[in-house]
């Protein structure tokens, strides 16, 4: 299904700070169900510029579902069933890398999964055969380059690299855990990057992460992390995230899916 226009719809999964998308001309808002249960929110279908978009709020709207209880399988399945073949996951993250402070935008290129106990694959139950997907590059490089080009076009301060460390949550990390993450090579830490990226890959969808740093990771500043700090970074940085989305939408919609 395509809402309108030449390209199939692009899926946008909004995280903390992006439960709605201003500028989206809403055509329909509909609850859906999947074989994996209900997604986090109704699918909001409309146009962002000339591009058909399906928006889904990862934590629900209002923000109520903690990271470890998000039904990631239902979210990705619902978008796939709506005709989406390219997904942008917007994530609020903590910054580990020296250059990645509050309100900084990052388009990461790798991920390390530290989560546990989450329903993390579609390939389970009574299968005809075991399936192993290639997950060498978790983010679709062509989609990454489109986001990078949009960020440059808008003269935004951003990083075009980064290893995302996906932790269990919902608590924030200890300073020692952040030291371990940094030792492992992580530049960012968040709670929702996995299994979202892997599930998109299992469905053959293009997937890319657009991350906004909302706080220094634990131990990386001289004060404790507060919600006031996080909210201030969101207020400062989310306009840049939205501008990147607006500029890149049509090109993202034109991407060929990994497989049908």
């Amino acid at each position: 299904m395509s809402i309108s226009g030449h390209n199939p719809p692009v899926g946008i999964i909004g995280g903390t700070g992006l439960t709605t998308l201003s500028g989206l001309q809403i055509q329909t808002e509909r609850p859906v169900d999947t074989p994996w249960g209900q997604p986090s929110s109704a699918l909001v279908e409309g146009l962002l510029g000339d591009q058909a978009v399906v928006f889904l709020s990862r934590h629900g709207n209002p923000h109520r579902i903690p990271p470890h209880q998000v039904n990631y399988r239902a979210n990705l399945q619902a978008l796939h069933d709506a005709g989406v073949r390219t997904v942008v996951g917007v994530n609020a993250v903590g910054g580990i890398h020296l250059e990645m402070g509050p309100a900084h935008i990052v388009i990461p290129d790798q991920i390390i999964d530290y989560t546990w106990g989450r329903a993390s694959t579609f390939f389970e139950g009574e299968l005809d055969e075991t399936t192993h997907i290639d997950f060498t590059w978790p983010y679709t490089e062509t989609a990454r380059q489109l986001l990078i080009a949009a960020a440059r076009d808008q003269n935004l301060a951003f990083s075009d690299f980064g290893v995302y460390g996906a932790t269990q949550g919902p608590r924030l990390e200890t300073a020692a855990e952040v030291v371990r993450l940094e030792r492992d090579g992580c530049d960012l830490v968040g709670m929702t990057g996995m299994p979202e990226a892997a599930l998109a890959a299992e469905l053959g969808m293009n997937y890319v992460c657009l991350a906004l740093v909302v706080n220094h990771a634990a131990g990386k500043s001289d004060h404790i992390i507060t919600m006031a700090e996080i909210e201030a970074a969101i207020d400062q940085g989310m306009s840049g995230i939205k501008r990147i989305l607006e500029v890149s939408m049509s090109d993202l919609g034109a991407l060929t899916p990994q497989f049908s």
Side-chain angles (χ1 to χ4, degrees):
M1 167 188 141
S2 179
I3 302 165
S4 63
H6 179 69
N7 296 332
V10 173
I12 300 173
I13 303 178
T16 301
L18 191 66
T19 54
T20 60
L21 187 61
S22 58
L24 179 63
Q25 302 174 46
I26 297 174
Q27 296 179 335
T28 62
E29 184 170 352
R30 58 188 179 93
V32 297
D33 205 355
T34 78
W36 311 101
Q38 292 186 335
S40 298
S41 70
L43 299 184
V44 178
E45 300 170 318
L47 293 172
L48 193 59
D50 296 327
Q51 174 59 45
V53 167
V54 181
F55 180 81
L56 188 152
S57 181
R58 186 186 289 113
H59 298 283
N61 187 14
H63 187 290
R64 59 183 176 81
I65 306 171
H68 65 295
Q69 291 187 322
V70 171
N71 191 338
Y72 295 95
R73 290 192 295 189
N75 287 353
L76 272 298
Q77 188 69 62
L79 291 174
H80 189 273
D81 292 348
V84 169
R85 296 298 179 267
T86 297
V87 178
V88 181
V90 179
N91 297 85
V93 298
I96 299 174
H97 192 285
L98 183 63
E99 297 176 5
M100 299 178 185
H104 191 70
I105 293 170
V106 184
I107 303 165
D109 57 346
Q110 275 295 338
I111 195 163
I112 300 177
D113 188 6
Y114 299 92
T115 66
W116 49 269
R118 301 183 181 190
S120 59
T121 181
F122 294 109
F123 300 128
E124 63 181 24
E126 297 182 6
L127 301 175
D128 293 332
E129 60 181 349
T130 301
T131 304
H132 304 282
I133 61 164
D134 184 343
F135 203 51
T136 305
W137 307 108
Y139 305 118
T140 305
E141 186 60 23
T142 49
R144 266 191 10 96
Q145 291 302 322
L146 290 175
L147 295 187
I148 290 167
R152 287 178 178 150
D153 177 76
Q154 296 298 299
N155 295 314
L156 296 169
F158 77 103
S159 295
D160 62 0
F161 68 94
V163 177
Y164 181 131
T167 59
Q168 180 70 358
R171 68 167 177 84
L172 298 176
E173 298 71 37
T174 69
E177 287 170 333
V178 170
V179 169
R180 182 190 69 162
L181 290 167
E182 186 170 28
R183 189 168 59 241
D184 286 352
C186 295
D187 301 298
L188 306 166
V189 57
M191 302 174 189
T192 55
M194 286 291 286
E196 192 171 277
L199 292 169
E202 287 187 352
L203 290 172
M205 303 164 83
N206 299 309
Y207 183 88
V208 67
C209 173
L210 180 57
L212 176 65
V213 179
V214 298
N215 59 272
H216 291 288
K220 289 296 179 179
S221 67
D222 58 2
H223 59 273
I224 64 170
I225 300 166
T226 66
M227 284 308 300
E229 173 189 3
I230 291 172
E231 289 165 1
I234 290 172
D235 289 343
Q236 182 180 348
M238 196 54 70
S239 63
I241 294 289
K242 293 176 179 178
R243 283 157 59 193
I244 291 172
L245 291 173
E246 290 166 0
V247 169
S248 62
M249 270 302 106
S250 294
D251 289 333
L252 287 169
L255 291 179
T256 302
Q258 296 184 50
F259 55 85
S260 305

